[in-house]
């Protein structure tokens, strides 16, 4: 799901739907030569409003007739194509992403001057340069091109308009069709490198265990077999013993003990200018979660704003790609709902070694939350992305300084 964007007067022009449609039409329907003719048509038409001269009439008429004739003739050379994207690894915000597109001529005529490009792109995905060209594509033949997109910000995007168009014979108009094949492109947030993070890492008992991690490391060890009990998992049945005695026998494991930490991401960003700090907080959270998961810890990530969203990672549960995929779609919240966050954290307190809070700000409300968590015996580490902020009310070991980005 694509995260919501907030528009303001200071937003880039492409955030406006009409401007984005005009930009897409200008790029997707006209070649560079066609755009020059279109500009000639616009300028001569504008000048004709003030004064009518023979040269302006000739220029306006030539440009208009050229584009109309190119559009009519191009219609009869529209290619019959099958196009397919190959999207595998996902990019990071700020990167240029390149991926392959296969074009197959399913018609009976050779296609000349074929251009492949994306249409109806969101404002945070921008094409680089002109569309790649295939000079000749014979019937039944498949050729590949590489498309490049500049990924400006993290998000979940849907690509649903891939155009294959020919500029033959006019060289002014792109005549083609748009594939409605839908592909998902996730742009990951940047990951802040976390070199050192001193957090308590005692192993706690996990009642009932965590199913996906139950075969990893010290989490379980096979102890023996016992009678089947109501509520046991089917996969724990020991079939050889069951067949031998004529009744269900289950495997028995030792209790699960491992390090489990919670990372809380504060997404309170009521104003558009706060979203710069939010992006830094998301990047920092990704770096912390990755560093902890590499140490074979179980990591619970809480994104806290108007609502609290919970995601678990680490060990065999989820790796960095899964973490980044979730963080890519995180939306800004109007206000941090501290009561909802406390309700989500307190029931987990007995199984948590520590809670790491990545805060957008530091104030009395957030200090109260820390005091309540402390009262339940939870160790605390706080990182605040707001510059020049001091951790009032916290012990020196609880406040982790965030180094400003250069």
């Amino acid at each position: 799901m694509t995260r919501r964007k907030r528009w303001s007067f200071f937003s880039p022009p492409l955030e406006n739907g009409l401007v984005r449609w005009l930009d897409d039409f200008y790029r997707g329907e006209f070649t560079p030569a066609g755009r020059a003719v279109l500009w000639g048509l616009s300028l001569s038409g504008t000048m004709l409003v003030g004064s009518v001269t023979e040269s302006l009439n000739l220029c306006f008429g030539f440009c208009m007739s050229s584009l109309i004739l190119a559009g009519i003739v191009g219609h009869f050379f529209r290619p019959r194509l099958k196009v397919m994207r190959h999207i595998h690894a996902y990019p990071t915000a700020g990167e240029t992403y390149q991926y392959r597109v296969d074009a197959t001529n399913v018609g009976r005529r050779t296609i000349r001057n074929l251009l492949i490009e994306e249409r109806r792109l969101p404002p945070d995905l921008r094409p680089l340069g002109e569309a790649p060209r295939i000079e000749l594509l014979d019937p039944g033949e498949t050729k590949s091109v590489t498309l490049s997109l500049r990924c400006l910000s993290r998000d979940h995007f849907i690509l649903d308009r891939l155009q294959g168009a020919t500029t033959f014979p006019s060289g002014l108009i792109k005549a083609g069709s748009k594939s409605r094949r839908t592909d998902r492109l996730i742009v990951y947030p940047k990951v802040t490198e976390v070199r050192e993070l001193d957090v308590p890492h005692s192993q706690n008992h996990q009642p009932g265990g965590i199913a996906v991690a139950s075969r990893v490391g010290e989490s379980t060890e096979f102890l023996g077999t016992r009678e089947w009990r109501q509520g046991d998992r089917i996969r724990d049945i020991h079939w050889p013993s069951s067949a031998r005695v004529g009744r269900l026998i289950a495997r028995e494991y030792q209790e699960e003990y491992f390090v489990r930490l919670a990372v809380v991401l504060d997404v309170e960003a009521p104003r558009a200018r706060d979203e710069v700090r939010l992006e830094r907080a998301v990047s920092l959270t990704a770096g912390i979660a990755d560093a902890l998961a590499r140490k074979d810890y179980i990591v619970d990530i809480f994104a806290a704003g108007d609502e609290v969203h919970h995601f678990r990672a680490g060990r065999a549960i989820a790796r960095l790609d899964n973490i980044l995929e979730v963080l890519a779609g995180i939306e800004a919240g109007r206000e941090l709902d501290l009561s909802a966050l406390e309700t989500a954290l307190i029931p987990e307190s007995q199984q948590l070694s520590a809670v790491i809070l990545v805060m957008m700000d530091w104030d009395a409300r957030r200090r109260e939350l820390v005091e309540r968590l402390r009262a339940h015996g939870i160790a605390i580490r706080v990182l605040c992305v707001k510059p020049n902020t001091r951790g009032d009310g916290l012990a020196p070991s609880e406040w982790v300084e965030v180094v400003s980005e250069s």
Side-chain angles (χ1 to χ4, degrees):
M1 178 181 176
T2 303
R3 64 191 180 97
R4 296 189 300 271
K5 300 294 174 58
R6 293 184 292 190
W7 187 86
S8 72
F9 180 78
F10 300 101
S11 297
L14 287 175
E15 293 286 350
N16 182 276
L18 176 60
V19 174
R20 191 161 61 250
W21 183 88
L22 290 173
D23 176 75
D24 178 71
F25 181 79
Y26 178 74
R27 285 175 164 272
E29 299 294 334
F30 300 95
T31 65
R35 292 170 203 159
V37 175
L38 182 64
W39 277 107
L41 175 67
S42 302
L43 292 174
S44 59
T46 303
M47 295 172 68
L48 279 173
V49 175
S51 61
V52 178
T53 63
E54 184 177 352
S55 58
L56 285 177
N57 276 327
L58 285 173
C59 180
F60 182 82
F62 172 77
C63 293
M64 176 69 79
S65 58
S66 296
L67 292 177
I68 292 175
L69 184 61
I72 293 173
V73 174
H75 177 78
F76 296 99
F77 289 88
R78 293 178 65 187
R80 295 185 60 195
L81 285 171
K82 178 182 177 182
V83 288
M84 180 177 295
R85 304 180 189 88
H86 293 274
I87 295 178
H88 300 295
Y90 292 135
T92 299
E95 292 182 348
T96 296
Y97 181 58
Q98 294 186 326
Y99 59 99
R100 193 177 90 246
V101 174
D102 293 339
T104 303
N105 184 354
V106 296
R108 297 180 179 179
R109 296 181 303 186
T110 297
I111 302 173
R112 293 176 171 79
N113 299 336
L114 177 65
L115 302 178
I116 307 294
E117 60 188 321
E118 295 285 357
R119 298 288 302 273
R120 298 190 185 180
L121 286 171
D124 292 324
L125 294 180
R126 294 290 86 204
L128 290 184
E130 294 296 326
R133 181 187 299 270
I134 298 175
E135 296 295 341
L136 289 174
L137 190 64
D138 294 323
E141 186 179 10
T142 298
K143 289 187 178 180
S144 300
V145 296
T146 299
L147 297 188
S148 299
L149 296 176
R150 179 69 173 170
C151 305
L152 302 180
S153 70
R154 64 179 176 89
D155 211 335
H156 291 212
F157 299 102
I158 298 297
L159 304 178
D160 60 357
R161 291 292 187 276
L162 182 59
Q163 176 177 277
T166 179
T167 62
F168 182 82
S170 68
L172 300 177
I173 299 291
K174 299 176 183 178
S177 59
K178 303 175 188 67
S179 168
R180 293 185 178 272
R181 177 186 173 88
T182 298
D183 291 287
R184 184 175 69 155
L185 175 63
I186 300 175
V187 179
Y188 292 150
K190 295 179 181 178
V191 180
T192 300
E193 184 181 359
V194 177
R195 294 188 178 90
E196 291 185 12
L197 185 61
D198 179 27
V199 295
H201 52 274
S202 59
Q203 293 187 340
N204 295 343
H205 175 225
Q206 309 297 323
I210 295 178
V212 183
S214 63
R215 300 292 183 272
V216 182
E218 74 282 13
S219 60
T220 61
E221 182 178 342
F222 180 68
L223 294 180
T225 58
R226 57 168 172 78
E227 294 284 340
W228 169 268
R229 299 171 190 163
Q230 186 66 30
D232 285 343
R233 299 175 300 184
I234 299 296
R235 65 181 178 181
D236 287 338
I237 296 175
H238 192 259
W239 294 109
S241 298
S242 300
R244 200 162 44 243
V245 301
R247 59 183 182 277
L248 290 178
I249 300 296
R251 298 181 184 90
E252 188 172 26
Y253 300 93
Q254 72 175 15
E255 299 288 357
E256 296 176 310
Y257 289 85
F258 45 75
V259 180
R260 186 174 166 197
L261 303 168
V263 179
V264 176
L265 169 62
D266 176 4
V267 298
E268 181 182 280
R271 297 164 295 188
R273 64 184 181 183
D274 296 328
E275 293 194 6
V276 175
R277 279 190 288 126
L278 176 60
E279 294 308 310
R280 190 179 181 197
V282 170
S283 300
L284 184 57
T285 301
I288 292 171
D290 179 43
L292 297 177
R294 287 174 188 270
K295 294 182 179 180
D296 218 20
Y297 298 160
I298 295 293
V299 183
D300 289 80
I301 301 173
F302 295 85
D306 306 322
E307 300 176 349
V308 177
H309 301 280
H310 182 198
F311 172 69
R312 182 168 290 158
R315 292 207 168 200
I317 298 173
R319 294 301 181 186
L320 180 60
D321 287 352
N322 306 104
I323 297 170
L324 295 179
E325 185 173 336
V326 172
L327 293 177
I330 292 294
E331 299 175 3
R334 293 186 299 273
E335 186 177 4
L336 176 60
D337 189 341
L338 294 175
S339 61
L341 177 57
E342 187 178 353
T343 301
L345 282 173
I346 297 306
E348 309 288 338
S349 60
Q350 296 301 314
Q351 289 80 51
L352 293 173
S353 298
V355 174
I356 302 168
L357 299 113
V358 181
M359 298 279 100
M360 291 285 288
D361 199 352
W362 185 247
D363 53 22
R365 294 184 306 129
R366 292 170 171 84
R367 190 163 56 246
E368 265 181 49
L369 170 67
V370 169
E371 290 171 358
R372 291 197 201 100
L373 294 176
R374 272 206 218 105
H376 286 82
I378 304 177
I380 300 296
R381 296 294 183 270
V382 177
L383 299 88
C384 183
V385 295
K386 186 175 182 179
N388 304 318
T389 303
R390 299 179 62 183
D392 298 331
L394 295 176
S397 61
E398 294 177 328
W399 180 260
V400 180
E401 198 70 35
V402 177
V403 180
S404 300
E405 295 178 339
S406 57

